[in-house]
Amino acid sequence: MAGKVKWATDIEKSVLVNNFEKRGWSQISTDEDWNFYWMSVQTIRNVFSIENGYRLNDDQIVNHFPNHYELTRKDLMVKNIKRYRRELEREASPLVEKDENGKYVHLDFIPVTFMLPGDYNLFVEEFRKNPTSTWIMKPCGKAQGKGIFLINKLSQIKKWSRDSRTTTFISPAGKEAYVISLYIDNPLLIGGKKFDLRLYVLVTSYRPLKCYMYRLGFCRFCTMKYTPSTSELDNMFVHLTNVSVQKHGPVMINDRHCFECYGYDIIIDDKLKPWLIEVNASPSLSSTTANDRILKYNLINDTLNIVVPNGEMPDCKWSRCPPKEALGHYELLYDEDLAQNEGVECEGKPRLGPALNKGNRLKDTRKPFSTWK
């Protein structure tokens, strides 16, 4: 298409600006007629709000889906994962297999979690099964480690109740909802320090689902050596790996104007089991080292090559499925269209071995392709 892409952003980060300038795009103000807008989550809420009624043109693209919070808000992520499990159970999917202790074999990838105040009684019942356990409380609507604390006694959260004499947890007026999760007290340590993994996933469409996983990522380390001692429960420098702290099944609305690069935070325990801790809608694009800057610059570069191929004018009618050589460090994680086509092909061919049931991996021997379970 003729003409330069006009870009705007309310997140002034060098890894963004340098990538836009490298492509020869023209910067304009957020009030002008833009083609590509890298927005904060606050701005995207205003754009897609009912009151605003803003309509995007076919040549406009933004970096968030309208209700990204269904995946990135802590309580909604847990709610949607639990709903996903229930749906699979109704379908009698083999993915809901449980072991002799009643735990999921394939779907046990988040710690035991409850929402407060709604699940308070359920939490108390679970807590009393193992009264020496430690739990971590996180405010649902905050990020970067804000408002997080650890508890190992029921009395420690009763102060959040209006009336501690009752057995029901009541959130005080003005207090936001919290999630409370069983704390992973046996993390894998490196040099005696706790760490987590940051992985990136790019979603270009939810219906049909099309997503990519970035092969590069990084570890975030605590600044102090880890100890399970209860005397250190208040020391967040021991327990939290958020950079900001150390420095100081979801139902999604698909929109063809949108894409999203999510930051997944994973903790590995000492049995090498990975646990999903949270998903970030706006993973930090700040860089503190040269390697960090290079990683995030390449992440944005490869993302733009997928969502705006060849640096041309955005076209929302295009399905955004670039050739493999254009993916950079991304790998195709799942393509629903391709998976469905493969399923149709398999139905018309004789098969060896067990039949393909819903939820099984679809394999293509002609070209590399992976699907989620």
Side-chain angles (χ1 to χ4, degrees), residues 263-309:
Y264 280 68
D265 292 338
I266 311 291
I267 284 183
I268 301 176
D269 67 22
D270 58 10
K271 296 182 176 62
L272 302 184
K273 178 181 175 63
W275 296 93
L276 174 62
I277 302 304
E278 63 184 38
V279 182
N280 296 274
S282 290
S284 173
L285 295 178
S286 299
S287 52
T288 55
T289 66
N291 286 338
D292 193 24
R293 183 166 56 253
I294 292 170
L295 168 65
K296 291 174 180 176
Y297 176 88
N298 288 334
L299 171 70
I300 299 302
N301 179 58
D302 293 343
T303 298
L304 295 178
N305 285 342
I306 292 176
V307 300
V308 192

Side-chain angles (χ1 to χ4, degrees), residues 56-161:
L56 298 179
N57 298 323
D58 285 347
D59 63 351
Q60 291 184 306
I61 189 172
V62 297
N63 64 308
H64 291 294
F65 285 91
N67 65 334
H68 60 84
Y69 46 81
E70 288 284 348
L71 181 61
T72 58
R73 185 176 156 107
K74 298 175 182 67
D75 55 338
L76 296 181
M77 182 193 80
V78 172
K79 180 196 74 173
N80 284 310
I81 288 176
K82 289 181 177 180
R83 180 167 62 182
Y84 173 64
R85 289 169 172 171
R86 291 194 299 269
E87 289 176 353
L88 291 178
E89 287 174 348
R90 284 194 295 267
E91 297 170 0
S93 169
L95 290 178
V96 294
E97 176 188 354
K98 296 183 179 180
D99 61 19
E100 62 276 6
N101 298 318
K103 291 186 177 181
Y104 289 105
V105 174
H106 308 293
L107 300 178
D108 183 30
F109 54 85
I110 60 171
V112 176
T113 302
F114 300 96
M115 270 74 78
L116 299 181
D119 293 339
Y120 179 73
N121 289 334
L122 292 174
F123 159 69
V124 171
E125 181 181 346
E126 184 68 27
F127 182 91
R128 286 173 175 163
K129 292 178 183 177
N130 187 6
T132 61
S133 58
T134 299
W135 295 75
I136 184 167
M137 286 191 68
K138 301 179 181 180
C140 296
K142 292 183 179 178
Q144 298 181 332
K146 296 175 182 175
I148 294 178
F149 59 96
L150 276 63
I151 68 152
N152 61 354
K153 295 183 179 66
L154 287 177
S155 59
Q156 291 170 299
I157 63 171
K158 284 188 176 180
K159 66 181 180 180
W160 294 84
S161 172

Side-chain angles (χ1 to χ4, degrees), residues 113-224:
T113 302
F114 300 96
M115 270 74 78
L116 299 181
D119 293 339
Y120 179 73
N121 289 334
L122 292 174
F123 159 69
V124 171
E125 181 181 346
E126 184 68 27
F127 182 91
R128 286 173 175 163
K129 292 178 183 177
N130 187 6
T132 61
S133 58
T134 299
W135 295 75
I136 184 167
M137 286 191 68
K138 301 179 181 180
C140 296
K142 292 183 179 178
Q144 298 181 332
K146 296 175 182 175
I148 294 178
F149 59 96
L150 276 63
I151 68 152
N152 61 354
K153 295 183 179 66
L154 287 177
S155 59
Q156 291 170 299
I157 63 171
K158 284 188 176 180
K159 66 181 180 180
W160 294 84
S161 172
R162 248 192 220 115
D163 184 0
S164 61
R165 292 171 296 176
T166 68
T167 57
T168 303
F169 180 96
I170 304 174
S171 182
K175 290 283 186 181
E176 58 189 310
Y178 272 69
V179 294
I180 186 164
S181 302
L182 187 63
Y183 184 65
I184 300 170
D185 58 3
N186 62 326
L188 182 65
L189 305 178
I190 295 181
K193 295 179 180 179
K194 183 179 175 181
F195 69 97
D196 72 359
L197 302 177
R198 165 56 61 84
L199 306 177
Y200 295 102
V201 173
L202 171 65
V203 178
T204 57
S205 172
Y206 274 100
R207 295 183 183 177
L209 180 61
K210 188 175 296 181
C211 53
Y212 307 81
M213 185 170 180
Y214 209 58
R215 291 197 299 266
L216 305 179
F218 57 89
C219 293
R220 302 182 300 178
F221 285 82
C222 289
T223 55
M224 298 181 65

Side-chain angles (χ1 to χ4, degrees), residues 44 116 248 256 261-262 326 332 338:
I44 202 70
L116 299 181
H248 324 285
R256 58 186 182 152
C261 182
Y262 296 99
L332 181 64
L338 184 56

